[in-house]
Amino acid sequence: MKIVLGSDHAGFNLKEEIKKHLGKMSENGLEVIDFGTNSSAISVDYPDIAITVAESVANKTYDKGILVCGTGIGMSIAANKVPGAYAALVCSVEMARLCRAHNNANILALGGRTTKLEDALAMVDAWLNTDFDEGRHSRRVGKIKNYESCKVSDSCHKKLNIIEHPLVKHKVGIIRDKKTTVKEFRELVQEIAGLMVYEITRNLVLEEVKVETPITETIAYSIAGKKMAIVPILRAGLGMVDGILQLIPNAKVGHVGLYRDPETLEPVEYYCKLPGDIEERDIFILDPMLATGGSAAAAIELVKRRGGKKITLVCLIAAPEGVNKVHSHHPDVEIYTAALDDHLNDHGYIVPGLGDAGDRLFGTR
Ligand code: RB5
């Protein structure tokens, strides 16, 4: 493991002690890199060191970082401005342990003027020797990551749900791989869509029902109304339909077909067939890739014009540009995605993405 250290003048002495302490662990494969400062006598500005260290941890040049200033406060505030850096200012061994177990903090901030040497070293040890607990903490930390990686407005964050389940992430990793065959790709898209059903149906309303078990009568729950519609956007959205129907087999299926006008580049409807009572249904519009958001926004518009009210957009991979577009046109629509990627390239493909989902589903390339 590679650990990067940094301090200002006020944290210099403690940083040096930590360096010595960690130096004793070099046989265990611990490598220590010191970004300075190199004296307690010359005053320096903590943000300069904090940001350099935080960037080197966020971009994974180093595995973890330790920052020391007078109180640890300035270092932690500055480091936490760097996306991907999660700095925890701790003042006890328990906090040092919990900031790993619950918060997955990759940077430890300490106060050189406020912490006794022996306590500080014990905090460093606790922090280094504790792993992230994952589970429910992954979901919470994931929300912080989503916030920082989504270059969209605050209201949008509340309507953007990124599925953090390990199985979903694992399968998304496989469909990204260009070596994955058409058959595997098709199966995995169905599986991911199926797994996402648990999240996208989380807010369905339940009603109490009386049930007689072999032992006694009891109150159980049933989904109220049970009126759902899934609406794939042709053609790639079709790849998600069966996975969802396996879990909600009574859902009605509508279809929306859009093509891009080569001159205006605007999406144009060529097919739309929706369940007759669409206005009463919870509607899940399906499209594996939310890239520019043009088709998704147009499909939502189309469904709304036919009376659709409660609309959720379900995709596998989204780009921030697409999320922005959908939410600027339809702020009421909740988006669920299995991954939020970095950006669109000049050809409108999501980066890193997985290429063209339609071609990969149907083997048309
Ligand atoms: C430097 O005097 C001091 O302000 C700095 O080390 C740090 O404590 C800031 O948060």
Side-chain angles (χ1 to χ4, degrees):
M1 184 193 290
K2 290 186 186 170
I3 300 208
V4 56
L5 305 183
S7 77
D8 68 355
H9 54 286
F12 172 76
N13 291 333
L14 177 55
K15 189 247 310 173
E16 290 302 299
E17 292 295 339
I18 293 172
K19 189 161 57 179
K20 263 193 255 160
H21 180 68
L22 296 179
K24 293 178 204 149
M25 302 177 202
S26 59
E27 285 147 25
N28 306 339
L30 201 77
E31 199 182 319
V32 180
I33 300 92
D34 184 359
F35 274 18
T37 191
N38 300 319
S39 148
S40 62
I42 302 165
S43 174
V44 292
D45 297 336
Y46 61 82
D48 298 336
I49 292 115
I51 290 168
T52 318
V53 165
E55 283 179 341
S56 74
V57 174
N59 69 25
K60 306 218 178 333
T61 306
Y62 303 111
D63 302 302
K64 286 188 180 131
I66 300 178
L67 287 167
V68 194
C69 61
T71 57
I73 296 172
M75 284 294 193
S76 56
I77 292 175
N80 279 319
K81 296 291 171 209
V82 176
Y86 308 103
L89 167 58
V90 306
C91 38
S92 71
V93 170
E94 183 63 351
M95 285 173 78
R97 187 184 71 75
L98 286 174
C99 81
R100 287 286 316 128
H102 288 193
N103 314 106
N104 203 15
N106 52 10
I107 295 179
L108 182 72
L110 293 165
R113 290 175 177 159
T114 54
T115 321
K116 284 195 205 129
L117 173 59
E118 127 195 8
D119 294 346
L121 298 183
M123 290 175 211
V124 168
D125 288 347
W127 179 70
L128 278 177
N129 294 324
T130 307
D131 288 329
F132 184 40
D133 272 355
E134 308 211 345
R136 66 190 187 282
H137 304 297
S138 295
R139 186 183 68 243
R140 293 163 186 163
V141 170
K143 289 191 174 187
I144 301 172
K145 291 187 177 169
N146 297 345
Y147 180 84
E148 72 186 359
S149 62
C150 182
K151 303 155 190 140
V152 287
S153 69
D154 186 47
S155 60
C156 160
H157 290 297
K158 294 184 187 120
K159 296 248 174 213
L160 175 65
N161 305 275
I162 301 169
I163 313 291
E164 295 292 341
H165 195 286
L167 274 176
V168 171
K169 288 188 155 186
H170 173 81
K171 289 172 194 282
V172 167
I174 304 174
I175 59 169
R176 284 188 192 279
D177 188 339
K178 63 180 183 187
K179 296 193 289 298
T180 298
T181 65
V182 169
K183 175 180 178 287
E184 289 164 338
F185 189 89
R186 203 177 280 154
E187 288 166 0
L188 284 159
V189 166
Q190 301 290 5
E191 285 173 24
I192 298 167
L195 288 167
M196 288 177 76
V197 169
Y198 292 99
E199 286 298 326
I200 65 180
T201 54
R202 182 179 279 277
N203 296 322
L204 290 180
V205 180
L206 292 171
E207 62 191 5
E208 290 187 351
V209 286
K210 263 197 208 140
V211 169
E212 206 161 324
T213 77
I215 313 295
T216 182
E217 191 178 84
T218 187
I219 297 293
Y221 297 94
S222 166
I223 291 171
K226 294 185 188 142
K227 287 205 158 185
M228 283 176 252
I230 57 177
V231 180
I233 302 178
L234 302 176
R235 65 182 165 149
L238 291 174
M240 299 166 73
V241 171
D242 288 348
I244 294 185
L245 283 180
Q246 283 203 349
L247 285 143
I248 37 178
N250 292 326
K252 293 280 186 329
V253 184
H255 293 89
V256 168
L258 298 159
Y259 72 90
R260 188 186 288 225
D261 183 304
E263 275 170 26
T264 63
L265 300 181
E266 290 300 315
V268 182
E269 169 192 340
Y270 67 85
Y271 187 79
C272 182
K273 181 85 182 166
L274 301 175
D277 54 357
I278 193 74
E279 64 284 347
E280 295 168 29
R281 292 185 176 267
D282 282 303
I283 304 157
F284 300 101
I285 296 184
L286 314 179
D287 197 353
M289 309 301 278
L290 177 57
T292 62
S295 309
I300 295 167
E301 182 60 39
L302 200 59
V303 172
K304 281 185 176 173
R305 270 196 267 124
R306 308 276 169 116
K309 290 188 182 68
K310 290 175 279 172
I311 301 174
T312 298
L313 176 65
V314 187
C315 45
L316 301 189
I317 299 193
E321 292 89 336
V323 173
N324 270 329
K325 170 103 176 192
V326 168
H327 276 141
S328 64
H329 287 69
H330 304 287
D332 54 309
V333 168
E334 196 92 37
I335 300 178
Y336 282 83
T337 182
L340 179 66
D341 275 11
D342 199 59
H343 65 279
L344 294 181
N345 68 14
D346 295 343
H347 306 287
Y349 280 96
I350 300 178
V351 180
L354 50 71
D356 185 304
D359 282 339
R360 296 196 61 186
L361 275 166
F362 300 109
T364 43
R365 221 185 138 87

